[in-house]
Amino acid sequence: MMSVTIKDIAKLANVSHTTVSRALNGSPLINRETKEKIQEIARKLHYTPNFSAKSLVLDRSYNLGLFFSTLNEGTSAGFFFESVRGVNSVIKGTYNLVVRGIDDYTDFKGISRKSFDGLLVMSQSAKDDDFIRHVRDMQIPCVVLNRHVDSFDAVNILSDDRQGAFQIVEYLIREGHRRIAIIEGKAGFKSTQERKKGYLDAMTKYKLPVRKDYQVQGSYDLESGYHRMKELLKLGADELPTAVFCSNDDMAVGAMKAALEYGLTIPDDLSLAGFDDNLFSGYLSPALTTVKRPVEQMSRKGAAVLVDLIETKEQVKDTVYLRTELMIRDSVSRPREALDKAKTAGPSSAD
Amino acid sequence: MMSVTIKDIAKLANVSHTTVSRALNGSPLINRETKEKIQEIARKLHYTPNFSAKSLVLDRSYNLGLFFSTLNEGTSAGFFFESVRGVNSVIKGTYNLVVRGIDDYTDFKGISRKSFDGLLVMSQSAKDDDFIRHVRDMQIPCVVLNRHVDSFDAVNILSDDRQGAFQIVEYLIREGHRRIAIIEGKAGFKSTQERKKGYLDAMTKYKLPVRKDYQVQGSYDLESGYHRMKELLKLGADELPTAVFCSNDDMAVGAMKAALEYGLTIPDDLSLAGFDDNLFSGYLSPALTTVKRPVEQMSRKGAAVLVDLIETKEQVKDTVYLRTELMIRDSVSRPREALDKAKTAGPSSAD
DNA sequence: CATATTTATGCACACGTTAACAACGGAATT
DNA sequence: AATTCCGTTGTTAACGTGTGCATAAATATG
């Protein structure tokens, strides 16, 4: 079954294939009647342009890449889903959205101007720098999301994780917590570092002791949250933190389980805070207090900027920070100690 | 910056571009020395083939499509993520994986043999039939996942949801439950119907009363689970079911929250079962008893079959059912009534 | 030694599209 | 009446690759 080309249409319309091409692309130099006749015929024959041919001559692939650091470990389902959805909502129809993990590649030979009109890199780790450098060398229009890269004149869109983490830890402190632990994200991930910085910022600002044994390394997945929390619980009743800041919601779920198994109730015995605001976080019991990260917004904006970049060929270096949002729910309360103290000291000193 | 083509290589190697083409594609009719010399030059120049040109002459797009019914509502993040991952792990390098929602399209003109070498349709609803028909008309190699379609000679890979639902409801019954409610999935989705059938199968097999007010319609998202559970709770203490089968895990989370808010403890006052086995399900408190659906396996297998289909041009009609697996965890226990009865009747009749 | 066969390479065209340029008829300008 | 101009259409080449056929050289066969 041969597919119909502009030449077929040309024959039927008694014109040259050039005229057909122009008519179908809305060129202004074509007579209105001819144009309509041609469009009519094209419609009737169910003509669809051959994009490979277009690509070849126009030097565009019609592919947009959305690259994650990895699709294997450290990328949560919610994050992935929201990212794809955000991009997808912007590029409807015009482009193909190609989704990939950077760590799927051993070499980047296949990534060229010819194969991608533009790239969105949802970057989670400094390991991506090789890839990003390659993209720059290939002069592929590119927007880096989620992680700051300097030494690269690209648009950079990310959420202010440090500020967000600071905000939620500050909230814990204001609620009266002084012994606050952190379960960190995957080692090497930029977000891990930023969230930890936010935690430290808050602790320092309020002159709280920063204990090494209150800092444990997770890997952003549920399981690690569970195990790291168990580790913290080994500190024993006297040394236990009154609040734990988990570097993402997935780990908070794991941590919650560990705490519950240990016999603690949340938030009465232990306050728990997360980061990300996954879809399910509001539906946990207790509902998780966390920081909402604008993932979908980030990828939407990224896609919009990228498309603009491709179509206007303008190269801008620009860094955009998107605001995070504190989501106060039920997994954090005033610590028992604070309450006790308030009781003994009388209501007057209870803030 | 001009990119290097086989003609550039040809000049340097003092051969025709034809020879280069053949050498780079491993044609057997080329002298070994020449071949090596050419490959060496290609490597040195960082040559990458222009896929648009290849596509044009070979009539292949190198694109594989993974189409979901929708990316907006009714597709859970975990399901989406696992699907993409499964496909991605199979097609490394060779193809571009293009992810799309069917409901993004108003017409399917753009979906042609030219633009996709093959298609995976992760079908969730009968609404997809128009699309699938189109794909068939266009003679695009296609594998339909997750939903049974007849009247279409395609490979069909799905999990046996009916059997899985039967299995878990039967488990509830064996644990002593007689008043079992169901929160159904999104109306119109095939999986919704299949899971409900499994529920009814089990109820009928054990001759349990099937009550209309024990069947409520959800939409697969957390929120609907929450609200439908609240509805069930309105039935009042005497009429309450002792177990609720939620048609997916997301809704089970919502339902759990509603039950907890109502003052019930799970599983002592109410048993809860889910479906899917999301990543987080084992980490809920209590850990969710559910049915594991082999999503990643499904998409892996689908991708493998599709690639095979494309490369051998063989058209097979075949339906593969993948087994689900019962995941017994902590959200289901024997109902209080059953226990009471056991107690009054003495240990002998317990079991 | 003449002929057949194999091996290695090149020539020319094809794929479907766009675009620079030429060409043509008619209208407007000189 | 000759020239310029405009609006519309056609001619031709180009994009980078693969392939059928011709060809040349080398080797085997009789």
Side-chain angles (χ1 to χ4, degrees), chain B residues 15-16 18-19 22 29 31 34 56:
Chain B
V15 293
S16 75
T18 310
T19 305
R22 286 200 262 255
L29 354 137
N31 182 289
T34 335
L56 183 57

Short mmCIF file of all heavy atoms in Angstrom, two decimals, chain B residues 15-16 18-19 22 29 31 34 56, chain C residues 8-16:
data_model
loop_
_atom_site.label_atom_id
_atom_site.label_comp_id
_atom_site.label_asym_id
_atom_site.label_seq_id
_atom_site.Cartn_x
_atom_site.Cartn_y
_atom_site.Cartn_z
N VAL B 15 37.45 6.70 -1.91
CA VAL B 15 36.50 5.72 -2.45
C VAL B 15 35.19 6.45 -2.73
O VAL B 15 35.09 7.65 -2.48
CB VAL B 15 36.22 4.58 -1.44
CG1 VAL B 15 37.46 3.72 -1.24
CG2 VAL B 15 35.73 5.14 -0.13
N SER B 16 34.22 5.75 -3.23
CA SER B 16 32.92 6.38 -3.46
C SER B 16 32.10 6.33 -2.19
O SER B 16 32.35 5.51 -1.30
CB SER B 16 32.18 5.67 -4.58
OG SER B 16 31.69 4.45 -4.10
N THR B 18 29.29 5.21 -1.83
CA THR B 18 28.64 3.90 -1.78
C THR B 18 29.46 2.92 -0.95
O THR B 18 28.93 2.22 -0.09
CB THR B 18 28.50 3.33 -3.20
OG1 THR B 18 27.90 4.31 -4.03
CG2 THR B 18 27.66 2.09 -3.18
N THR B 19 30.73 2.90 -1.23
CA THR B 19 31.62 2.01 -0.49
C THR B 19 31.59 2.32 0.99
O THR B 19 31.54 1.42 1.83
CB THR B 19 33.05 2.14 -1.02
OG1 THR B 19 33.04 1.92 -2.43
CG2 THR B 19 33.97 1.16 -0.36
N ARG B 22 28.43 1.05 2.53
CA ARG B 22 28.49 -0.39 2.74
C ARG B 22 29.43 -0.78 3.86
O ARG B 22 29.11 -1.63 4.69
CB ARG B 22 28.91 -1.06 1.43
CG ARG B 22 27.79 -1.07 0.40
CD ARG B 22 28.03 -2.12 -0.67
NE ARG B 22 28.62 -1.53 -1.86
CZ ARG B 22 27.93 -1.31 -2.99
NH1 ARG B 22 26.65 -1.62 -3.07
NH2 ARG B 22 28.52 -0.78 -4.04
N LEU B 29 30.34 -7.48 1.10
CA LEU B 29 31.05 -7.36 -0.18
C LEU B 29 32.16 -6.33 -0.16
O LEU B 29 32.54 -5.80 -1.21
CB LEU B 29 30.10 -7.02 -1.34
CG LEU B 29 28.61 -6.96 -1.22
CD1 LEU B 29 28.08 -5.76 -1.95
CD2 LEU B 29 28.03 -8.23 -1.83
N ASN B 31 36.04 -5.26 0.99
CA ASN B 31 37.35 -5.72 1.40
C ASN B 31 37.63 -5.35 2.86
O ASN B 31 37.32 -4.24 3.28
CB ASN B 31 38.39 -5.10 0.49
CG ASN B 31 39.80 -5.57 0.81
OD1 ASN B 31 40.35 -5.20 1.85
ND2 ASN B 31 40.34 -6.40 -0.04
N THR B 34 39.82 -2.13 3.36
CA THR B 34 39.06 -0.92 3.05
C THR B 34 38.07 -0.62 4.17
O THR B 34 37.93 0.51 4.63
CB THR B 34 38.26 -1.12 1.75
OG1 THR B 34 38.87 -2.10 0.95
CG2 THR B 34 38.11 0.19 1.02
N LEU B 56 14.32 8.16 5.37
CA LEU B 56 13.69 8.42 4.08
C LEU B 56 13.88 7.26 3.12
O LEU B 56 12.93 6.77 2.52
CB LEU B 56 14.29 9.68 3.48
CG LEU B 56 13.70 10.13 2.16
CD1 LEU B 56 12.19 10.35 2.30
CD2 LEU B 56 14.37 11.41 1.66
P DA C 8 36.54 -9.17 -1.47
OP1 DA C 8 37.74 -9.12 -0.60
OP2 DA C 8 35.21 -9.41 -0.90
"O5'" DA C 8 36.52 -7.83 -2.32
"C5'" DA C 8 37.65 -7.49 -3.11
"C4'" DA C 8 37.37 -6.19 -3.83
"O4'" DA C 8 36.40 -6.42 -4.86
"C3'" DA C 8 36.80 -5.10 -2.93
"O3'" DA C 8 37.61 -3.94 -3.09
"C2'" DA C 8 35.39 -4.88 -3.44
"C1'" DA C 8 35.48 -5.35 -4.89
N9 DA C 8 34.24 -5.88 -5.46
C8 DA C 8 33.36 -6.77 -4.90
N7 DA C 8 32.34 -7.07 -5.67
C5 DA C 8 32.57 -6.33 -6.83
C6 DA C 8 31.87 -6.21 -8.04
N6 DA C 8 30.73 -6.86 -8.29
N1 DA C 8 32.39 -5.38 -8.99
C2 DA C 8 33.53 -4.74 -8.73
N3 DA C 8 34.28 -4.77 -7.63
C4 DA C 8 33.74 -5.59 -6.71
P DT C 9 37.28 -2.65 -2.18
OP1 DT C 9 38.56 -1.96 -1.94
OP2 DT C 9 36.41 -3.01 -1.06
"O5'" DT C 9 36.46 -1.78 -3.20
"C5'" DT C 9 37.15 -1.18 -4.30
"C4'" DT C 9 36.15 -0.67 -5.30
"O4'" DT C 9 35.16 -1.67 -5.59
"C3'" DT C 9 35.33 0.53 -4.88
"O3'" DT C 9 35.98 1.70 -5.32
"C2'" DT C 9 33.99 0.33 -5.57
"C1'" DT C 9 34.14 -0.99 -6.28
N1 DT C 9 32.92 -1.83 -6.29
C2 DT C 9 32.15 -1.87 -7.43
O2 DT C 9 32.41 -1.23 -8.43
N3 DT C 9 31.05 -2.68 -7.36
C4 DT C 9 30.64 -3.45 -6.27
O4 DT C 9 29.64 -4.14 -6.32
C5 DT C 9 31.50 -3.37 -5.11
C7 DT C 9 31.17 -4.16 -3.88
C6 DT C 9 32.58 -2.58 -5.17
P DG C 10 35.34 3.16 -5.10
OP1 DG C 10 36.43 4.15 -5.14
OP2 DG C 10 34.46 3.06 -3.93
"O5'" DG C 10 34.44 3.36 -6.40
"C5'" DG C 10 35.02 3.19 -7.68
"C4'" DG C 10 33.97 3.41 -8.75
"O4'" DG C 10 33.01 2.32 -8.71
"C3'" DG C 10 33.16 4.70 -8.58
"O3'" DG C 10 33.01 5.30 -9.86
"C2'" DG C 10 31.82 4.21 -8.03
"C1'" DG C 10 31.69 2.84 -8.67
N9 DG C 10 30.88 1.88 -7.92
C8 DG C 10 31.08 1.45 -6.63
N7 DG C 10 30.21 0.57 -6.24
C5 DG C 10 29.37 0.41 -7.34
C6 DG C 10 28.23 -0.42 -7.50
O6 DG C 10 27.73 -1.20 -6.69
N1 DG C 10 27.66 -0.28 -8.77
C2 DG C 10 28.15 0.56 -9.75
N2 DG C 10 27.48 0.56 -10.89
N3 DG C 10 29.22 1.33 -9.61
C4 DG C 10 29.77 1.21 -8.38
P DC C 11 32.46 6.80 -9.98
OP1 DC C 11 33.50 7.58 -10.66
OP2 DC C 11 31.92 7.22 -8.66
"O5'" DC C 11 31.22 6.64 -10.96
"C5'" DC C 11 31.10 5.48 -11.78
"C4'" DC C 11 29.71 5.44 -12.40
"O4'" DC C 11 28.89 4.46 -11.70
"C3'" DC C 11 28.93 6.75 -12.36
"O3'" DC C 11 28.23 6.88 -13.57
"C2'" DC C 11 28.02 6.58 -11.15
"C1'" DC C 11 27.72 5.07 -11.19
N1 DC C 11 27.47 4.45 -9.86
C2 DC C 11 26.41 3.55 -9.73
O2 DC C 11 25.70 3.30 -10.70
N3 DC C 11 26.21 2.98 -8.52
C4 DC C 11 27.00 3.25 -7.48
N4 DC C 11 26.75 2.65 -6.32
C5 DC C 11 28.09 4.17 -7.60
C6 DC C 11 28.28 4.74 -8.79
P DA C 12 27.48 8.24 -13.97
OP1 DA C 12 27.55 8.35 -15.43
OP2 DA C 12 27.93 9.33 -13.08
"O5'" DA C 12 25.98 7.85 -13.58
"C5'" DA C 12 25.46 6.59 -14.01
"C4'" DA C 12 24.06 6.41 -13.45
"O4'" DA C 12 24.14 5.89 -12.10
"C3'" DA C 12 23.24 7.71 -13.35
"O3'" DA C 12 21.93 7.40 -13.77
"C2'" DA C 12 23.33 8.09 -11.88
"C1'" DA C 12 23.36 6.70 -11.24
N9 DA C 12 23.99 6.64 -9.91
C8 DA C 12 25.01 7.44 -9.44
N7 DA C 12 25.38 7.14 -8.22
C5 DA C 12 24.54 6.10 -7.86
C6 DA C 12 24.42 5.34 -6.68
N6 DA C 12 25.19 5.53 -5.61
N1 DA C 12 23.49 4.37 -6.67
C2 DA C 12 22.72 4.18 -7.76
N3 DA C 12 22.74 4.82 -8.91
C4 DA C 12 23.69 5.78 -8.89
P DC C 13 20.88 8.60 -13.96
OP1 DC C 13 20.28 8.44 -15.30
OP2 DC C 13 21.46 9.89 -13.52
"O5'" DC C 13 19.79 8.15 -12.89
"C5'" DC C 13 19.30 6.80 -12.92
"C4'" DC C 13 18.70 6.45 -11.57
"O4'" DC C 13 19.72 6.48 -10.55
"C3'" DC C 13 17.60 7.42 -11.10
"O3'" DC C 13 16.45 6.66 -10.82
"C2'" DC C 13 18.20 8.06 -9.85
"C1'" DC C 13 19.13 6.95 -9.37
N1 DC C 13 20.19 7.37 -8.42
C2 DC C 13 20.34 6.66 -7.23
O2 DC C 13 19.58 5.71 -6.99
N3 DC C 13 21.31 7.03 -6.35
C4 DC C 13 22.10 8.06 -6.65
N4 DC C 13 23.04 8.37 -5.76
C5 DC C 13 21.98 8.78 -7.86
C6 DC C 13 21.02 8.41 -8.71
P DA C 14 15.05 7.41 -10.81
OP1 DA C 14 14.26 6.79 -11.90
OP2 DA C 14 15.28 8.88 -10.79
"O5'" DA C 14 14.43 6.99 -9.41
"C5'" DA C 14 14.58 5.65 -8.92
"C4'" DA C 14 14.52 5.69 -7.41
"O4'" DA C 14 15.81 6.07 -6.90
"C3'" DA C 14 13.52 6.71 -6.87
"O3'" DA C 14 12.49 6.06 -6.16
"C2'" DA C 14 14.34 7.63 -5.98
"C1'" DA C 14 15.63 6.89 -5.76
N9 DA C 14 16.79 7.76 -5.66
C8 DA C 14 17.20 8.71 -6.55
N7 DA C 14 18.28 9.36 -6.19
C5 DA C 14 18.60 8.80 -4.96
C6 DA C 14 19.64 9.04 -4.05
N6 DA C 14 20.59 9.96 -4.24
N1 DA C 14 19.68 8.31 -2.93
C2 DA C 14 18.72 7.38 -2.73
N3 DA C 14 17.69 7.06 -3.52
C4 DA C 14 17.69 7.81 -4.63
P DC C 15 11.09 6.84 -6.00
OP1 DC C 15 10.04 5.94 -6.51
OP2 DC C 15 11.23 8.22 -6.50
"O5'" DC C 15 10.92 6.97 -4.43
"C5'" DC C 15 11.48 6.05 -3.49
"C4'" DC C 15 11.77 6.77 -2.22
"O4'" DC C 15 13.15 7.22 -2.24
"C3'" DC C 15 10.96 8.06 -2.03
"O3'" DC C 15 9.78 7.74 -1.32
"C2'" DC C 15 11.90 8.97 -1.24
"C1'" DC C 15 13.28 8.32 -1.37
N1 DC C 15 14.35 9.19 -1.93
C2 DC C 15 15.58 9.27 -1.28
O2 DC C 15 15.75 8.61 -0.24
N3 DC C 15 16.56 10.06 -1.79
C4 DC C 15 16.33 10.75 -2.91
N4 DC C 15 17.33 11.51 -3.39
C5 DC C 15 15.09 10.68 -3.60
C6 DC C 15 14.13 9.90 -3.07
P DG C 16 8.36 8.32 -1.86
OP1 DG C 16 7.29 7.54 -1.21
OP2 DG C 16 8.39 8.47 -3.32
"O5'" DG C 16 8.37 9.78 -1.22
"C5'" DG C 16 8.28 9.91 0.18
"C4'" DG C 16 8.47 11.36 0.56
"O4'" DG C 16 9.78 11.79 0.15
"C3'" DG C 16 7.47 12.31 -0.08
"O3'" DG C 16 6.95 13.14 0.93
"C2'" DG C 16 8.31 13.07 -1.10
"C1'" DG C 16 9.69 13.04 -0.48
N9 DG C 16 10.79 13.12 -1.43
C8 DG C 16 10.86 12.56 -2.68
N7 DG C 16 12.00 12.78 -3.29
C5 DG C 16 12.74 13.52 -2.38
C6 DG C 16 14.05 14.05 -2.47
O6 DG C 16 14.84 13.96 -3.41
N1 DG C 16 14.41 14.74 -1.32
C2 DG C 16 13.60 14.90 -0.21
N2 DG C 16 14.11 15.59 0.80
N3 DG C 16 12.37 14.41 -0.11
C4 DG C 16 12.01 13.74 -1.22
#
